[in-house]
């Protein structure tokens, strides 16, 4: 449901009328990837209204974690880390990426809020679409995907209309007030950049600085560009192999071999059993074209993982599927906690209704094809539209300092998106890492740039020349890695 301005005003009044809530934090551990990453923190649960306009109605619990600053003379404004997806949990993301925040965490608290619908905040999971089933959020056909998704909708524990970005930023403001911080610094990655920007729009006086990693401008409706941008990233991977003497000699016809593998798996999926990368237990899976496309889509997010594609598909062409299957298992474990119900709640409210005409003919020529957009469009015809603030899709205008991080070869939020937002951001600096993909936080000198910017958020003074020394990871020519 689109919320008119009068209703938005009512929601503000209702929230302001809520009594201050003390948030008790107790020692806890944040984990990711089956517990292989672990971070000490202090955690608590903040009760918030399911429907913000009904503060006396049903409540849900927000899972909140604070990683206290290491220094005794800590600074009063924390860094809030907002995960992507939509559907990833901030606590899980931080546990996996904590090393990249080390410099910031010396003198600032790190605040983490599992966005409602994710992690431990009333999660909206879709068991039929979980990654451990190797469906990667889709079935093997449009009809199967739509059926699985609508079955999930019927089984959700909460009304998904109240699980959107517009409600999430109100939750974040309640957390800020409960923890007693006067101002926040926000780091958002991918979809998290949308959340960060909308918080800035709603609460400019509470926002000290923003770091936007893989920018999604407010006006952009994600989806129609996905297959095209991912194909461009894959083409760039093949081009790197062709330009590398060792790789081109080892795999002289890798593009044709890739196409042949995708065609073969589309006709006849391969039954594969491989040792699970974590447990070592023999694990069977069906390697279909859909699953393989999901593997490729995730691998091209980063040049380091994309570097393995020539080896993987040369093996697969020769019907040795073990390494490709092992990658599917590892990637599935990494994204297994994604809350697809939250994903659809956001996308069916904030993206698909704004698509306009989609060029299906252009997408048909990509390795992903048209199934992704066709299935999503049909799902969103039935999925209930949620709360969205008036002016949500308008550009965010602000003079709050903003650092924008982009990867030159980002397959989901390409650098060209940045120009849609920057004319409205009076104080910003854009940093583009050559040859890099989606999410710059842990690449090269970027962690130090982020820390420097948060410490002193003056865009004009930031020296980002170190990024020019970042180079793409060379392609693998064997399972052992690149040529010497």
């Amino acid at each position: 449901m689109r919320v008119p301005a009068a209703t938005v005003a009512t929601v503000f009044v209702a929230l302001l009328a809520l009594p201050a809530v003390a948030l008790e934090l107790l020692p806890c551990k944040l984990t990711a990837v089956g517990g292989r990453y672990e971070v000490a923190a202090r955690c608590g649960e903040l009760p918030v209204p399911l429907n913000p306009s009904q503060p006396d109605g049903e409540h849900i619990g927000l899972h909140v974690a604070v990683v206290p600053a290491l220094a005794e003379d800590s600074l009063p404004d924390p860094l809030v880390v907002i995960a992507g997806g939509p559907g990833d949990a901030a606590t899980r993301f931080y546990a996996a990426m904590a090393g990249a925040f080390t410099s910031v965490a010396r003198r600032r608290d790190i605040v983490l809020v599992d966005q409602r619908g994710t992690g431990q905040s009333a999660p909206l999971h879709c068991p039929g679409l979980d990654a451990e089933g190797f469906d990667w959020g889709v079935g093997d056909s449009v009809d199967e995907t739509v059926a699985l998704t609508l079955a999930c909708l019927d089984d959700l524990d909460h009304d998904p209309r109240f699980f959107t970005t517009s409600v999430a930023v109100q939750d974040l403001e309640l957390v800020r007030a409960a923890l007693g911080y006067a101002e926040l610094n926000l780091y958002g990655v991918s979809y998290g950049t949308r959340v960060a920007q909308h918080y800035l729009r709603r609460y400019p006086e509470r926002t000290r600085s923003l770091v936007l990693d893989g920018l999604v401008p407010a006006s952009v409706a994600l989806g129609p560009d996905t297959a095209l941008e991912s194909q461009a990233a894959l083409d760039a991977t093949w081009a790197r192999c062709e330009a590398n003497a060792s790789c081109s000699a080892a795999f002289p016809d890798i593009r044709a071999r890739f196409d042949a593998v995708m065609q073969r798996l589309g006709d006849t999926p391969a039954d594969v059993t491989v040792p699970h990368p974590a447990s070592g237990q023999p694990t069977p899976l069906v390697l279909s074209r859909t699953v393989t496309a999901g593997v490729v889509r995730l691998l091209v997010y980063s040049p380091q993982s994309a570097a393995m594609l020539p080896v993987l598909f040369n093996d697969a062409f020769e019907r040795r599927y073990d390494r490709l299957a092992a990658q599917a298992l590892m990637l599935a474990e990494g994204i297994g906690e994604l809350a697809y119900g939250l994903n659809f709640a956001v996308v069916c409210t904030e993206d698909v209704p704004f698509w306009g005409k989609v060029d299906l003919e252009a997408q048909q020529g990509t390795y992903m094809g048209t199934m992704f957009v066709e299935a999503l469009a049909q799902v969103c015809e039935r999925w209930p539209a949620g709360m969205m603030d008036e002016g949500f899709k308008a550009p965010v205008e602000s003079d709050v300092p903003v650092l924008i991080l982009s990867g030159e070869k980002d397959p989901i939020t390409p650098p060209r998106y940045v120009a849609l937002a920057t004319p409205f951001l009076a104080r910003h600096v854009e940093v583009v890492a050559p040859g890099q993909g989606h999410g710059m936080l842990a690449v090269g000198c970027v962690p130090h740039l982020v820390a420097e910017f948060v410490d002193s958020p003056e865009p004009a003074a930031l020296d980002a020349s170190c990024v020019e020394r970042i180079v793409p990871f060379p392609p693998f020519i064997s399972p052992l890695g690149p040529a010497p």
Side-chain angles (χ1 to χ4, degrees):
M1 58 183 175
R2 192 68 51 80
V3 181
T7 305
V8 171
T10 302
V11 171
F12 270 126
V13 172
L15 285 173
L16 290 173
L18 289 173
V21 178
L23 178 55
E24 182 182 11
L25 301 176
L26 299 175
C28 63
K29 297 287 186 182
L30 312 179
T31 62
V33 193
R36 292 203 293 277
Y37 297 95
E38 187 174 274
V39 175
R42 299 184 67 81
C43 298
E45 183 176 287
L46 181 69
V48 295
L50 174 64
N51 181 347
S53 65
Q54 297 179 1
D56 295 326
E58 180 184 355
H59 279 56
I60 59 174
L62 290 181
H63 182 58
V64 178
V66 176
V67 180
L70 294 174
E72 293 185 4
D73 59 338
S74 60
L75 298 168
D77 45 282
L79 178 69
V80 177
V81 177
I82 308 172
D88 199 4
T91 53
R92 189 218 64 82
F93 173 79
Y94 182 80
M97 301 294 291
F101 292 103
T102 299
S103 295
V104 177
R106 288 193 182 109
R107 298 192 64 200
R108 278 187 169 80
D109 294 348
I110 304 293
V111 175
L112 309 162
V113 182
D114 283 353
Q115 182 172 330
R116 59 166 63 197
T118 75
Q120 298 181 54
S121 296
L124 300 182
H125 284 298
C126 290
L129 297 176
D130 281 351
E132 55 263 29
F134 307 105
D135 292 315
W136 303 94
V138 296
D140 276 325
S141 70
V142 171
D143 289 344
E144 182 184 357
T145 300
V146 173
L148 288 169
T149 304
L150 295 180
C152 170
L153 175 60
D154 292 338
D155 290 339
L156 292 178
D157 293 332
H158 302 287
D159 188 335
R161 294 178 301 163
F162 305 116
F163 288 76
T164 59
T165 303
S166 296
V167 184
V169 299
Q170 297 177 49
D171 289 343
L172 180 54
E173 175 59 9
L174 293 174
V175 171
R176 181 206 61 77
L179 293 175
Y181 297 111
E183 288 185 306
L184 304 177
N185 303 282
L186 305 178
Y187 165 87
V189 60
S190 193
Y191 161 71
T193 68
R194 179 183 289 176
V195 180
Q197 290 171 90
H198 195 54
Y199 182 88
L200 169 63
R201 188 203 307 272
R202 289 283 296 267
Y203 308 104
E205 74 285 357
R206 297 300 185 184
T207 310
R208 178 176 175 269
S209 71
L210 260 66
V211 178
L212 305 177
D213 190 358
L215 175 66
V216 182
S219 60
V220 166
L222 292 176
D225 291 343
T226 299
L228 303 175
E229 294 294 343
S230 192
Q231 182 65 50
L234 179 62
D235 290 340
T237 299
W238 302 143
R240 282 197 297 273
C241 181
E242 291 161 351
N244 180 284
S246 298
C247 188
S248 60
F251 315 116
D253 55 352
I254 191 59
R255 292 181 195 248
R257 291 193 167 207
F258 172 82
D259 292 340
V261 170
M262 297 300 282
Q263 178 66 48
R264 185 197 305 155
L265 294 178
D267 295 338
T268 308
D271 293 314
V272 187
T273 298
V274 293
H276 194 282
S279 67
Q281 294 299 313
T283 304
L285 74 154
V286 178
L287 200 59
S288 65
R289 180 189 175 102
T290 301
V291 169
T292 303
V295 173
V296 174
R297 182 183 173 193
L298 292 176
L299 289 180
V300 298
Y301 268 45
S302 161
Q304 287 88 344
S305 55
M308 297 185 291
L309 285 169
V311 171
L312 294 177
F313 279 91
N314 186 71
D315 281 0
F317 179 78
E318 296 173 353
R319 300 184 185 273
R320 300 194 305 271
Y321 295 113
D322 289 8
R323 294 192 181 102
L324 188 57
Q327 285 299 314
L329 289 170
M330 285 191 290
L331 292 169
E333 187 181 30
I335 67 171
E337 296 179 4
L338 190 73
Y340 282 108
L342 185 279
N343 187 287
F344 289 116
V346 170
V347 170
C348 290
T349 299
E350 302 169 11
D351 293 293
V352 175
F354 302 91
W355 275 3
K357 183 175 176 57
V358 178
D359 188 349
L360 292 177
E361 184 176 352
Q363 298 201 23
Q364 190 65 54
T366 69
Y367 78 89
M368 287 181 62
T370 63
M371 193 178 81
F372 171 75
V373 293
E374 290 185 272
L376 196 50
Q378 290 189 33
V379 166
C380 291
E381 287 178 1
R382 301 272 300 278
W383 197 279
M387 293 184 65
M388 187 170 70
D389 291 340
E390 193 76 17
F392 181 84
K393 299 301 287 186
V396 177
E397 298 188 50
S398 177
D399 62 358
V400 168
V402 180
L403 168 61
I404 302 173
L405 304 171
S406 295
E408 181 191 18
K409 303 297 183 182
D410 189 327
I412 188 69
T413 56
R416 62 184 176 84
Y417 281 179
V418 173
L420 300 175
T422 50
F424 307 94
L425 300 174
R427 299 171 63 200
H428 74 272
V429 57
E430 178 186 3
V431 177
V432 181
Q436 298 303 301
H438 188 59
M440 291 293 95
L441 177 65
V443 176
C445 63
V446 173
H448 301 291
L449 289 180
V450 170
E452 181 180 341
F453 182 80
V454 174
D455 276 347
S456 180
E458 183 48 63
L462 186 69
D463 180 5
S465 58
C466 63
V467 172
E468 298 170 6
R469 297 191 291 272
I470 298 174
V471 296
F473 198 80
F476 282 39
I477 61 167
S478 80
L480 298 178

